[in-house]
């Protein structure tokens, strides 16, 4: 591998054939000629550098296979390998620039976010700006809330929001303030997936734009303990590297907050003379943190909630509190099996806009006239499942937002197929068979689903946004795994994956428990 050197500035890279200047087939300019780039090892890190160089925010997809159609001229660049932190594509390691085979079947493409933070100390802080066509504009601070901030930080790969700053904190900028309002739920992968409405602030001045500071620590975990609720505290930086936390000033209050976030009972294992009575909630018995029987923690023990007066508004509060999106349904009593222990709540009467269940009226702690056959269950929109339609082979399908849908085969790699097979307990490897016809009337949920060697779970793998695909009826993923033919479902919530065996006929004898 050698370094190539092109002209300075952003004019040495462009995107063509896309619907906007921030998406399309990648072309580079070299010695007076524009030409395409091969997508053989093209990935999201390479696309990120192109988006940064063009001032298009961050990359959300790196499609190959001439996704936007063939580039013009010759194929000038064979291989590109960026770290993702470079300021321009010319700083990445590549093969020598020359005229390659004339075929444009594998030209590299890029889809950029169209959102950026400007004027801050780094790429993850600054004034929020959104792109419309070729024009960037700021967002009015009266039209932007914490749920919008969560989506912007996630879309930019910057973790979670830590500060939302109003009144033009990062300068008033130029251009204009857009006259539309994002109404994000907070669980979307990009702001353009959020509902929008005309803003109430039609005359919002530039100095009233909103700023944002994102926080890079995105996940927490406990390791080397006796179970998932004890052990050494570790933080993850920007969905990548894990590290430890210094114990200087660490106390029971810090441990209690972490336990609540992890869905564990409050900690009593750090020095303190008092263990506070905290409230927490969880969903159990559904194979996911985002679906199951509702249980609440009170007075030192977990208990259930009675279904008297329970409706979708109550479920909506639970889903929001658990960061599981919105409610899909209010299941029939005990549909996730009956619980045990105390029945803590009855006659819950949420309006639906509360931030936690504890803000809703009820009959009072422990006051009820119910049995466990009336235990409440909840299913939220972020409950996901993955399955192979015929056991350990067949069409790949995903359950999301209450519906089974198709997974498109565009950009699907061997690493992706291998991880699917492993996490479904269908062997350690597999291969792509062919494309299959779509499931009738089912949505195309996922596309550009491409796992990397370091991805530990399928839901960490890059993909297009939910229901934003370039799929055709003949491009649905069809794969086979090396393991025995048993039907498994893979469920996912906020904190990981659960594999449940439903039925099977394979090499072994007897039923699976």
């Amino acid at each position: 591998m050698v370094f190539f050197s092109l002209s300075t500035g952003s004019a040495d890279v462009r995107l063509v054939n896309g619907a906007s200047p921030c998406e399309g087939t990648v072309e580079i300019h070299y010695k007076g000629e524009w030409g395409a780039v091969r997508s053989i090892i093209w990935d999201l890190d390479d696309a990120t550098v192109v988006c940064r160089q063009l001032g298009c925010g961050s990359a959300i997809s790196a499609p190959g296979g001439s996704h936007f159609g063939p580039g013009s001229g010759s194929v000038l660049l064979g291989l590109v390998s960026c770290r993702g932190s470079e300021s321009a594509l010319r700083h990445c390691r590549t093969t020598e620039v020359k005229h390659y085979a004339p075929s444009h079947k594998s030209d590299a493409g890029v889809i950029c976010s169209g959102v950026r933070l400007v004027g801050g100390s780094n790429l993850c802080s600054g004034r929020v700006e959104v792109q419309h066509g070729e024009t960037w504009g700021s967002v009015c601070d009266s039209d932007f809330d914490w749920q919008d901030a969560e989506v912007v930080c996630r879309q930019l790969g910057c973790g979670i929001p830590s500060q939302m700053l109003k009144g033009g904190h990062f300068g008033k900028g130029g251009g204009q303030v857009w006259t539309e309002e994002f109404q994000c739920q907070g669980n979307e992968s990009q702001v353009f997936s959020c509902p929008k409405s005309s803003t109430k602030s039609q005359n919002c001045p530039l100095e009233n734009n909103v700023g944002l500071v994102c926080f890079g620590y995105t996940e927490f975990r406990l390791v080397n303990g006796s179970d998932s609720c004890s052990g050494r505290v570790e933080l993850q930086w920007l969905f990548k590297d894990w590290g430890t936390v210094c114990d200087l000033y660490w106390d029971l209050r810090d441990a209690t907050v972490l336990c609540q976030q992890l869905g564990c009972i409050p900690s009593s294992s750090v020095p303190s003379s008092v263990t506070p009575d905290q409230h927490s909630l969880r969903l159990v018995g559904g194979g996911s943190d985002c679906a199951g029987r509702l249980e609440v923690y009170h007075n030192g023990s977990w208990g259930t909630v009675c279904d008297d007066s329970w409706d979708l508004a109550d479920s909506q509060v639970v889903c929001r509190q658990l960061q599981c999106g919105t409610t899909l349904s209010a299941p029939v009593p005990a549909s996730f099996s009956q619980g045990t222990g105390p029945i803590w709540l009855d006659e819950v009467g949420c309006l639906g806009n509360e931030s936690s269940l504890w803000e809703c009226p009820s009959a009072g702690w422990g006051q009820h006239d119910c049995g466990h056959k009336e235990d409440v269950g909840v299913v939220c929109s972020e409950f996901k499942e993955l399955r192979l339609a015929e056991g350990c082979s067949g069409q790949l399908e995903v359950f999301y937002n209450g519906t089974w849908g198709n997974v498109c085969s565009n950009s699907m790699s061997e690493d992706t197929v291998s991880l699917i097979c492993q996490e479904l307990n269908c062997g350690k490897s597999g291969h792509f068979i062919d494309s299959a016809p779509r499931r009738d009337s089912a949505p195309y949920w996922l596309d550009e689903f491409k796992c990397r060697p370091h991805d530990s779970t399928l839901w960490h793998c890059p993909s297009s946004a939910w229901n934003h695909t370039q799929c055709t009826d003949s491009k649905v993923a069809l794969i086979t795994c090396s393991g025995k033919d048993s039907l498994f479902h893979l469920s996912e919530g906020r904190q990981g994956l659960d594999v449940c065996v439903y039925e099977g006929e394979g090499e072994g004898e007897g039923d699976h428990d």
Side-chain angles (χ1 to χ4, degrees):
M1 303 281 277
V2 298
F3 288 104
F4 72 88
S5 178
L6 302 175
S7 59
T8 58
S10 63
D12 54 8
V13 176
R14 69 183 183 186
L15 301 177
V16 300
N17 301 331
S20 78
C22 289
E23 68 174 32
T25 299
V26 181
E27 291 189 350
I28 65 168
H29 190 260
Y30 184 71
K31 293 185 178 181
E33 178 184 3
W34 285 99
V37 178
R38 279 182 172 177
S39 61
I40 297 175
I41 60 170
W42 186 259
D43 61 18
L44 201 62
D45 287 337
D46 308 318
T48 295
V49 175
V50 172
C51 292
R52 180 179 301 125
Q53 185 174 355
L54 294 175
C56 286
S58 63
I60 59 175
S61 182
S66 298
H67 178 79
F68 293 100
S72 58
S74 304
V75 177
L76 295 180
L77 200 54
L79 300 175
V80 177
S81 179
C82 301
R83 296 186 303 274
S85 58
E86 296 88 348
S87 60
L89 198 64
R90 62 183 175 275
H91 298 148
C92 300
R93 192 168 291 274
T94 75
T95 53
E96 182 181 0
V97 181
K98 62 181 183 181
H99 290 79
Y100 288 84
S103 172
H104 283 277
K105 292 182 179 180
S106 61
D107 289 355
V110 166
I111 301 175
C112 304
S113 65
V115 177
R116 65 187 183 186
L117 299 178
V118 180
S121 59
N122 55 56
L123 295 174
C124 293
S125 65
R127 181 176 61 256
V128 179
E129 292 191 351
V130 178
Q131 186 183 33
H132 289 247
E134 298 184 8
T135 305
W136 287 91
S138 55
V139 177
C140 191
D141 55 16
S142 64
D143 299 331
F144 197 85
D145 60 21
W146 198 256
Q147 286 72 35
D148 302 325
E150 289 179 333
V151 177
V152 170
C153 288
R154 180 183 304 117
Q155 182 172 348
L156 294 176
C158 289
I160 58 178
S162 62
Q163 289 181 282
M164 190 170 65
L165 303 167
K166 300 187 176 184
H169 180 86
F170 293 102
K172 67 178 185 179
Q176 64 183 92
V177 179
W178 294 119
T179 57
E180 67 180 9
E181 177 184 356
F182 291 108
Q183 298 177 329
C184 302
Q185 295 292 323
N187 60 344
E188 296 88 350
S189 60
Q190 56 172 315
V191 292
F192 301 109
S193 300
C194 301
K196 295 185 290 291
S197 66
S198 297
T199 180
K200 306 178 186 68
S201 308
Q202 297 289 338
N203 299 313
C204 186
L206 285 173
E207 55 268 23
N208 281 6
N209 65 70
V210 69
L212 187 59
V213 178
C214 301
F215 184 63
Y217 293 108
T218 50
E219 293 289 342
F220 302 84
R221 69 183 182 188
L222 300 176
V223 298
N224 294 342
S226 59
D227 55 32
S228 61
C229 288
S230 64
R232 183 180 66 248
V233 179
E234 291 189 352
L235 304 177
Q236 188 181 36
W237 177 256
L238 292 180
F239 303 101
K240 296 179 180 177
D241 300 323
W242 288 92
T244 58
V245 179
C246 179
D247 66 358
L248 185 65
Y249 304 122
W250 183 263
D251 60 17
L252 184 61
R253 182 178 300 174
D254 305 317
T256 298
V257 171
L258 179 61
C259 288
Q260 287 181 304
Q261 183 168 345
L262 294 175
C264 302
I265 62 174
S267 173
S268 59
S269 60
V270 293
S272 176
S273 58
V274 179
T275 299
D277 176 26
Q278 299 286 344
H279 296 144
S280 186
L281 55 82
R282 65 187 182 187
L283 298 177
V284 299
S288 165
D289 289 337
C290 292
R293 181 180 64 253
L294 176 61
E295 294 190 351
V296 297
Y297 183 82
H298 173 71
N299 199 28
S301 63
W302 288 97
T304 60
V305 178
C306 184
D307 73 330
D308 292 345
S309 301
W310 188 269
D311 59 20
L312 289 176
D314 307 307
S315 294
Q316 178 71 7
V317 174
V318 170
C319 291
R320 181 184 301 116
Q321 186 172 351
L322 291 175
Q323 299 177 28
C324 284
T326 59
T327 183
L328 293 181
S329 63
V332 296
S335 59
F336 294 105
S337 76
Q338 297 182 21
T340 58
I343 298 174
W344 280 131
L345 291 176
D346 190 12
E347 300 291 347
V348 177
C350 302
L351 296 177
N353 58 358
E354 295 87 350
S355 60
S356 75
L357 195 64
W358 326 127
E359 299 175 13
C360 303
S362 70
W365 290 105
Q367 303 300 310
H368 67 88
D369 56 358
C370 306
H372 281 296
K373 64 181 180 180
E374 300 170 87
D375 290 343
V376 161
V378 175
V379 179
C380 305
S381 61
E382 284 303 296
F383 171 58
K384 308 179 185 75
E385 286 188 86
L386 199 67
R387 72 183 182 188
L388 292 173
E390 299 175 7
C392 286
S393 66
Q395 188 170 321
L396 183 62
E397 299 173 346
V398 64
F399 182 86
Y400 176 72
N401 203 26
T403 304
W404 284 102
N406 300 286
V407 180
C408 202
S409 61
N410 290 326
S411 298
M412 187 165 287
S413 64
E414 290 186 5
D415 286 331
T416 309
V417 175
S418 176
L419 190 55
I420 289 170
C421 294
Q422 290 179 53
E423 298 218 41
L424 290 176
N425 283 353
C426 285
K428 294 185 178 180
S429 63
H431 63 274
F432 180 78
I433 304 173
D434 202 347
S435 297
R438 66 177 296 185
R439 294 180 66 246
D440 291 342
S441 72
Y444 289 118
W445 274 139
L446 279 179
D447 196 5
E448 303 293 343
F449 193 31
K450 185 178 181 181
C451 297
R452 302 153 296 187
H454 64 273
D455 288 319
S456 58
T457 76
L458 289 167
W459 308 114
H460 289 167
C461 301
S463 71
S464 62
W466 290 101
N467 206 26
H468 283 69
T469 73
Q470 300 290 331
C471 203
T472 63
D473 285 352
S474 62
K475 281 289 187 179
V476 176
L478 186 65
I479 64 176
T480 186
C481 298
S482 61
K484 64 182 181 179
D485 191 14
S486 299
L487 180 59
F488 290 86
H489 283 203
L490 179 64
S491 306
E492 192 267 352
R494 290 181 300 108
Q495 299 168 8
L497 300 157
D498 301 296
V499 178
C500 302
V501 183
Y502 282 78
E503 58 183 314
E505 295 180 3
E507 300 170 16
E509 296 181 357
D511 295 331
H512 295 278
D513 293 326

